[in-house]
Coordinates of all heavy atoms in Angstrom, one line a residue:
G1 N 204.9 -44.5 15.4 CA 205.7 -45.7 15.1 C 205.9 -46.0 13.6 O 207.0 -46.3 13.2
V2 N 204.9 -45.8 12.8 CA 205.0 -45.9 11.4 C 205.9 -44.8 10.9 O 206.8 -45.1 10.0 CB 203.6 -45.8 10.7 CG1 203.8 -45.8 9.2 CG2 202.7 -46.9 11.1
N3 N 205.8 -43.6 11.4 CA 206.6 -42.5 10.9 C 208.1 -42.8 11.2 O 209.0 -42.6 10.3 CB 206.2 -41.3 11.7 CG 207.2 -40.1 11.6 OD1 207.5 -39.6 10.5 ND2 207.8 -39.7 12.7
E4 N 208.4 -43.3 12.4 CA 209.8 -43.5 12.7 C 210.4 -44.6 11.9 O 211.6 -44.6 11.4 CB 210.0 -43.9 14.2 CG 211.4 -44.1 14.7 CD 211.5 -44.4 16.1 OE1 210.5 -44.3 16.8 OE2 212.7 -44.7 16.6
F5 N 209.6 -45.7 11.6 CA 210.1 -46.8 10.7 C 210.4 -46.2 9.3 O 211.4 -46.6 8.8 CB 209.0 -47.8 10.6 CG 209.4 -48.9 9.6 CD1 210.2 -50.0 10.0 CD2 208.9 -48.9 8.3 CE1 210.5 -50.9 9.0 CE2 209.2 -49.8 7.4 CZ 210.0 -50.9 7.7
L6 N 209.6 -45.4 8.8 CA 209.8 -44.9 7.4 C 211.0 -44.0 7.3 O 211.9 -44.3 6.4 CB 208.5 -44.1 7.0 CG 207.3 -44.9 6.7 CD1 206.1 -43.9 6.4 CD2 207.5 -45.8 5.5
W7 N 211.2 -43.1 8.2 CA 212.4 -42.2 8.0 C 213.7 -42.9 8.4 O 214.7 -42.5 7.9 CB 212.2 -40.8 8.6 CG 212.1 -40.7 10.1 CD1 211.0 -40.4 10.9 CD2 213.2 -40.8 11.1 NE1 211.3 -40.3 12.2 CE2 212.7 -40.5 12.4 CE3 214.6 -41.0 11.0 CZ2 213.4 -40.5 13.5 CZ3 215.3 -41.0 12.1 CH2 214.8 -40.8 13.4
T8 N 213.6 -43.8 9.3 CA 214.8 -44.5 9.7 C 215.3 -45.5 8.7 O 216.4 -45.6 8.4 CB 214.6 -45.3 11.1 OG1 214.2 -44.4 12.1 CG2 215.8 -46.0 11.5
N9 N 214.3 -46.3 8.1 CA 214.7 -47.4 7.2 C 214.5 -47.1 5.7 O 215.2 -47.7 4.9 CB 213.8 -48.6 7.5 CG 214.0 -49.2 8.9 OD1 215.0 -49.8 9.2 ND2 213.1 -48.9 9.8
L10 N 213.7 -46.1 5.4 CA 213.5 -45.7 4.0 C 213.8 -44.3 3.7 O 213.5 -43.8 2.6 CB 212.0 -46.0 3.6 CG 211.6 -47.5 3.7 CD1 210.1 -47.6 3.4 CD2 212.4 -48.4 2.7
G11 N 214.5 -43.6 4.6 CA 214.8 -42.2 4.4 C 215.7 -42.0 3.1 O 215.5 -41.1 2.4
W12 N 216.6 -43.0 2.9 CA 217.4 -42.9 1.7 C 216.6 -42.8 0.4 O 217.0 -42.2 -0.5 CB 218.4 -44.1 1.7 CG 217.7 -45.4 1.7 CD1 217.4 -46.1 2.8 CD2 217.2 -46.1 0.6 NE1 216.7 -47.3 2.5 CE2 216.6 -47.3 1.1 CE3 217.2 -45.9 -0.8 CZ2 216.0 -48.3 0.3 CZ3 216.6 -46.9 -1.6 CH2 216.0 -48.0 -1.1
A13 N 215.5 -43.5 0.4 CA 214.6 -43.6 -0.8 C 214.0 -42.2 -1.1 O 214.0 -41.8 -2.2 CB 213.5 -44.6 -0.6
Y14 N 213.6 -41.5 0.0 CA 213.1 -40.2 -0.2 C 214.1 -39.3 -0.8 O 213.9 -38.5 -1.7 CB 212.6 -39.6 1.1 CG 211.4 -40.2 1.8 CD1 211.5 -41.3 2.5 CD2 210.2 -39.6 1.6 CE1 210.4 -41.9 3.1 CE2 209.0 -40.1 2.2 CZ 209.1 -41.3 3.0 OH 208.0 -41.8 3.5
L15 N 215.4 -39.4 -0.4 CA 216.5 -38.6 -0.9 C 216.8 -38.9 -2.3 O 216.9 -37.9 -3.2 CB 217.7 -38.8 0.0 CG 217.6 -38.4 1.5 CD1 219.0 -38.7 2.2 CD2 217.3 -36.9 1.7
L16 N 216.8 -40.1 -2.7 CA 217.2 -40.5 -4.1 C 216.1 -40.1 -5.0 O 216.4 -39.6 -6.1 CB 217.3 -42.0 -4.1 CG 218.6 -42.6 -3.5 CD1 218.6 -44.1 -3.6 CD2 219.9 -42.1 -4.2
V17 N 214.8 -40.2 -4.6 CA 213.7 -39.9 -5.5 C 213.7 -38.3 -5.7 O 213.6 -37.9 -6.9 CB 212.4 -40.3 -4.9 CG1 211.2 -39.7 -5.8 CG2 212.2 -41.8 -4.9
M18 N 213.9 -37.6 -4.7 CA 213.9 -36.1 -4.8 C 215.0 -35.6 -5.7 O 214.9 -34.8 -6.6 CB 214.0 -35.4 -3.5 CG 213.8 -33.9 -3.6 SD 212.2 -33.4 -4.2 CE 211.2 -33.5 -2.7
F19 N 216.2 -36.2 -5.6 CA 217.4 -35.8 -6.4 C 217.1 -36.1 -7.9 O 217.4 -35.4 -8.8 CB 218.6 -36.5 -5.9 CG 219.9 -36.0 -6.7 CD1 220.4 -34.8 -6.4 CD2 220.4 -36.8 -7.7 CE1 221.6 -34.3 -7.1 CE2 221.5 -36.3 -8.4 CZ 222.1 -35.1 -8.1
T20 N 216.5 -37.3 -8.1 CA 216.1 -37.7 -9.5 C 215.2 -36.7 -10.1 O 215.3 -36.3 -11.3 CB 215.5 -39.1 -9.5 OG1 216.4 -40.0 -9.0 CG2 215.1 -39.5 -10.9
L21 N 214.2 -36.2 -9.4 CA 213.2 -35.2 -9.9 C 213.9 -33.9 -10.2 O 213.6 -33.3 -11.2 CB 212.1 -35.0 -8.8 CG 211.3 -36.2 -8.4 CD1 210.2 -35.8 -7.5 CD2 210.7 -36.9 -9.6
V22 N 214.9 -33.5 -9.4 CA 215.6 -32.2 -9.6 C 216.3 -32.3 -10.9 O 216.3 -31.4 -11.8 CB 216.5 -31.9 -8.5 CG1 217.4 -30.7 -8.8 CG2 215.7 -31.6 -7.2
M23 N 217.0 -33.4 -11.1 CA 217.8 -33.6 -12.3 C 216.9 -33.6 -13.6 O 217.2 -33.1 -14.6 CB 218.6 -34.9 -12.3 CG 219.7 -34.9 -11.2 SD 221.0 -33.6 -11.5 CE 220.5 -32.3 -10.3
F24 N 215.8 -34.2 -13.5 CA 214.8 -34.3 -14.6 C 214.3 -32.9 -15.0 O 214.2 -32.6 -16.1 CB 213.7 -35.3 -14.3 CG 212.8 -35.5 -15.5 CD1 213.2 -36.2 -16.6 CD2 211.5 -34.9 -15.4 CE1 212.3 -36.4 -17.6 CE2 210.6 -35.1 -16.5 CZ 211.1 -35.8 -17.6
V25 N 213.9 -32.2 -13.9 CA 213.4 -30.8 -14.2 C 214.4 -29.9 -14.9 O 214.1 -29.1 -15.8 CB 212.8 -30.2 -12.9 CG1 212.6 -28.7 -13.1 CG2 211.5 -30.9 -12.5

């Protein structure tokens, strides 16, 4: 249940953070 909530509602945050890290590296 926690897992589904996270990727459904906050999945966009995972994507934004990862792209930010790639650009910084």
Side-chain angles (χ1 to χ4, degrees):
V2 175
N3 167 64
E4 184 176 354
F5 173 82
L6 287 174
W7 67 253
T8 302
N9 296 285
L10 296 176
W12 56 269
Y14 290 84
L15 299 178
L16 288 176
V17 171
M18 187 62 82
F19 185 77
T20 300
L21 301 184
V22 172
M23 293 299 102
F24 183 72
V25 166

